[in-house]
Amino acid sequence: MPFSTADTIVAIATPAGQGGVGIVRLSGPEAWSIAQQIFRRRSKTPIRPQHAYYGAIVDGAGIALDDGLLLCMRGPRSYTGEDVAEINAHGSPVILQRIVGMALRLGARAAEPGEMTLRAFLHGRIDLAQAEAVADMIAANSEAAARQAMRQLAGDLSAQVQAARGAILAALAPIEATIDFPEDEVPIPERNDLLARIAEAETIVAALLAGAGRGRIVRDGARCVIIGRPNVGKSSLLNRLLRADRAIVTPVAGTTRDTIEESAQIGGVAMHLVDTAGLAATDDPIERAGMQRSRAALAEADLALFVLDRSEPFTAHDRQIARELADHGFGRPARPIIVVRNKADLPDALAPRSYRALLAALAPPENVPATIAECTVSLTQDFGVDALEAEMARMILGGPAQESAALVARARHQEALRIARDLLATSAATLRDGFPIELAASDLHEALRALGLITGETITEDLLGSIFSTFCIGK
Ligand SMILES: Nc1nc2c(ncn2[C@@H]2O[C@H](COP(=O)(O)OP(=O)(O)O)[C@@H](O)[C@H]2O)c(=O)[nH]1
Ligand SMILES: [Mg+2]
C-alpha cells in the first residue's frame, strides 16, 4: 500500500459489469489535466471547480468514444482532499477500461483498493474510524447496518473517542509538567482531580464497550436459531421468514434432520436464520449428528425462536428444550428468546399453569420483557408473523436508545477499547493507592495510544495497509 500522495491515481469507481452509468475517478495533482485530455468539453472556458460539464470521451486521435459528464472537484474540498476529476460515461466495461488505459498512458497510476479513502485519511478529511465506516457502509447488508455505518461516518464514534482522549490528556498534562519541570514552581496536581478526569474517560470507554456486542450484530447480522420439538412448525417458520420454500414442511415428525441456514433482512436487521432438528435422545446416527448441529447452532446464536405447538399439551421434549436454552444462557441479557406459540388456528391446548412454569424456567422475571417475549402465530393462516418480525428486530436492537448507544461494530475497535479500559483502571489504582503520581503517566500514555488506534492518530503503516486493503477498488 503506497502512502505517497504525490502521484495521480485512477480507478473505475462503479461496480464491475454493465450498468446505466460508469464512473472513472482520478485523484491527485494531475487529475484535472489528465481528465481534460480524455474528455472534450463543448465550452472553452476554464474549468470551474465543483461543476459538471457535458462532453465527449475522446481517444488519442480525438475520435469520440462515448459522451458523458465531467465533474471536477478542487482539493481540499473533495472526497480525497486533493484535486479530483470524475468522468461519467455509459456503464460499459469496455469504455471504462479504455478511459483508465488512456489515463495510465497520460501518467496516472492504477489505484490500490481503498487508496482513494486512504488519501482522504492521510489528508485529514476523515479519521480512521470514519474511513472504516465508508467500507462498512458499502458492505452494509441491512438498513440497521447502513444506519450504524452512517453514524460512524458522521463522526459519532470519533467524537466519543476524542472526548475520552481529551479527559486522559487533561490528567496526563499536569503530571507531565511535574516530570518535565521538577525544579520549577509547577503546582502539584490534586490526586482527586486526576482521578476525576480518569473516571470521565472510563465512563465513556465503558459505554462504548457496552454497546459493542450489539454493534457487531447489527453490522454482521444476528444469528437466530429456530428451535422446538418435531412438527411444531419450525420449517414453516423459516420458510415464512424467508418468504421462500427453503425447508421441507411435512406432517411427518423428524423431516428436518440437519440444520438449514439462510439469511434475510427482518425488521431492517440482517439475520442468519438456522432451522434445527430437535434435541430428543435418539439411537439414529443421522438424528444424533443433527442434534449435535442443533446444539452448535444454539451455542452461537444471538437470538432463539422457541417454537411451541399451541394445539397440543406440553411434552417432556418441550421442557428439555427449555432447559437446554437456559443452560446455553438464553433468557439472560445478550441472548434473548422469543416464544413462538404456533398453530393459533387450532384450539389452544397449552395448560396456562405449565406454560407459565415453562416461561419462568426460561428467564428470571426481572429479565422480562428485555430478554424474553411471546408471540402467537399461525403459519398456515399467516397470522401474527409481522408482529413476530418486529419483535425479533426489537430484541436485537434493544429499542431506539440502545441502538444509538451501539457505535462500536469492529473487533479492532473493541480490542483497542478493552486495552484502554484496563490501562485506565491501572492508572487510577496507582493514584488511589498513594504511589507517586508520575507512576500513572505511562499507563495514561498507553491508554491514549490505544484509543488513537481507533481514530488513527497512533496507527502504524502496516496496520493502515491491512485495513485499507480490504476496501474495494475505486473507493
Ligand atoms: N394447523 C396448523 N398447522 C401448521 C401450522 N404451522 C405448521 N403446521 C403444520 O405442521 C406440520 C409440521 O410443520 P413443520 O414446519 O414441518 O414443523 P417442524 O417439524 O417443526 O419443522 C406441517 O404439516 C405443517 O403444515 C399452523 O400454524 N397451523
Ligand atoms: Mg422441520
Side-chain angles (χ1 to χ4, degrees):
M1 176 66 64
F3 290 93
S4 155
T5 57
D7 53 357
T8 298
I9 52 177
V10 63
I12 300 174
T14 38
Q18 302 171 352
V21 286
I23 300 176
V24 174
R25 184 187 268 157
L26 288 143
S27 181
E30 300 303 320
W32 284 28
S33 78
I34 293 174
Q36 287 188 84
Q37 295 173 68
I38 299 171
F39 191 92
R40 194 169 58 209
R41 292 179 296 138
R42 292 259 173 82
S43 97
K44 295 287 165 252
T45 55
I47 288 210
R48 288 163 61 195
Q50 340 302 119
H51 274 67
Y53 296 92
Y54 176 72
I57 292 131
V58 292
D59 69 7
I63 296 169
L65 304 172
D66 192 6
D67 58 358
L69 291 176
L70 173 66
L71 273 82
C72 290
M73 271 72 70
R74 180 69 87 192
R77 291 178 56 209
S78 72
Y79 181 69
T80 57
E82 8 187 82
D83 286 358
V84 167
E86 284 181 7
I87 299 173
N88 287 232
H90 289 108
S92 148
V94 177
I95 296 293
L96 298 176
Q97 286 299 347
R98 275 295 290 277
I99 297 172
V100 170
M102 289 190 281
L104 294 175
R105 269 195 300 283
L106 291 166
R109 170 171 67 72
E112 301 283 333
E115 196 175 359
M116 302 280 176
T117 309
L118 172 66
R119 287 191 171 191
F121 167 72
L122 293 174
H123 289 301
R125 291 286 288 169
I126 50 176
D127 68 24
L128 187 57
Q130 290 173 303
E132 289 174 303
V134 172
D136 289 352
M137 173 66 87
I138 292 169
N141 56 1
S142 70
E143 289 165 32
R147 257 195 323 271
Q148 180 167 278
M150 186 57 221
R151 295 202 355 256
Q152 189 175 324
L153 182 56
D156 285 18
L157 171 61
S158 309
Q160 295 297 307
V161 171
Q162 294 304 1
R165 296 188 87 218
I168 298 172
L169 266 176
L172 190 54
I175 299 178
E176 301 226 297
T178 64
I179 299 173
D180 293 344
F181 312 102
E183 272 83 64
D184 297 353
E185 295 285 292
V186 179
I188 304 291
E190 280 290 332
R191 259 167 218 272
N192 282 340
D193 289 348
L194 301 176
L195 281 167
R197 297 287 85 77
I198 294 172
E200 208 178 302
E202 283 183 307
T203 305
I204 298 169
V205 168
L208 287 172
L209 275 171
R214 185 168 276 120
R216 178 194 58 76
I217 289 172
V218 168
R219 175 177 181 258
D220 300 337
R223 294 191 65 83
C224 171
V225 65
I226 303 174
I227 194 127
R229 69 175 157 82
N231 253 355
V232 291
K234 296 181 298 298
S235 298
S236 305
L237 178 58
L238 176 80
N239 290 342
R240 176 59 185 78
L241 292 173
L242 295 175
R243 293 172 173 78
D245 279 341
R246 173 64 180 82
I248 300 170
V249 172
T250 70
V252 182
T255 313
T256 311
R257 295 166 128 201
D258 197 357
T259 52
I260 298 180
E261 192 175 334
E262 290 289 335
S263 297
Q265 196 190 149
I266 294 174
V269 181
M271 305 232 185
H272 309 298
L273 303 162
V274 190
D275 180 17
T276 61
L279 289 169
T282 167
D283 291 332
D284 180 342
I286 298 178
E287 286 184 8
R288 289 175 81 91
M291 272 171 49
Q292 272 174 12
R293 296 205 177 173
S294 301
R295 289 216 171 84
L298 267 189
E300 292 177 353
D302 303 304
L303 170 68
L305 302 183
F306 180 15
V307 186
L308 299 175
D309 181 342
R310 187 172 160 280
S311 70
E312 290 178 1
F314 288 112
T315 68
H317 196 170
D318 289 321
R319 294 199 178 80
Q320 188 207 334
I321 291 168
R323 263 195 310 278
E324 295 234 9
L325 283 170
D327 288 349
H328 277 90
F330 284 93
R332 292 196 283 275
R335 299 203 106 185
I337 304 177
I338 301 177
V339 179
V340 183
R341 297 147 50 105
N342 186 31
K343 309 199 185 180
D345 51 296
L346 300 176
D348 189 355
L350 293 179
R353 273 190 54 199
S354 338
Y355 179 64
R356 278 199 302 278
L358 188 82
L359 288 190
L362 282 174
E366 64 270 20
N367 287 356
V368 183
T371 64
I372 185 159
E374 304 166 57
C375 286
T376 301
V377 302
S378 166
L379 293 167
T380 48
Q381 307 293 313
D382 200 16
F383 164 83
V385 180
D386 290 350
L388 170 62
E389 291 186 335
E391 200 59 37
M392 290 170 73
R394 186 186 72 80
M395 282 289 189
I396 293 300
L397 298 177
Q402 297 271 17
E403 188 186 354
S404 63
L407 290 170
V408 177
R410 287 187 173 231
R412 192 183 82 75
H413 298 165
Q414 198 173 359
E415 186 53 28
L417 286 164
R418 284 206 191 102
I419 293 170
R421 175 193 61 196
D422 295 348
L423 288 161
L424 287 170
T426 331
S427 65
T430 304
L431 292 175
R432 252 195 318 269
D433 296 347
F435 289 105
I437 58 169
E438 300 83 50
L439 291 184
S442 78
D443 285 336
L444 290 173
H445 255 298
E446 287 302 308
L448 262 189
R449 232 181 53 78
L451 293 177
L453 290 173
I454 299 175
T455 39
E457 280 91 348
T458 50
I459 199 98
T460 62
E461 289 204 351
D462 280 354
L463 198 49
L464 269 188
S466 77
I467 290 169
F468 282 96
S469 64
T470 64
F471 279 48
C472 29
I473 298 257
K475 196 63 224 179

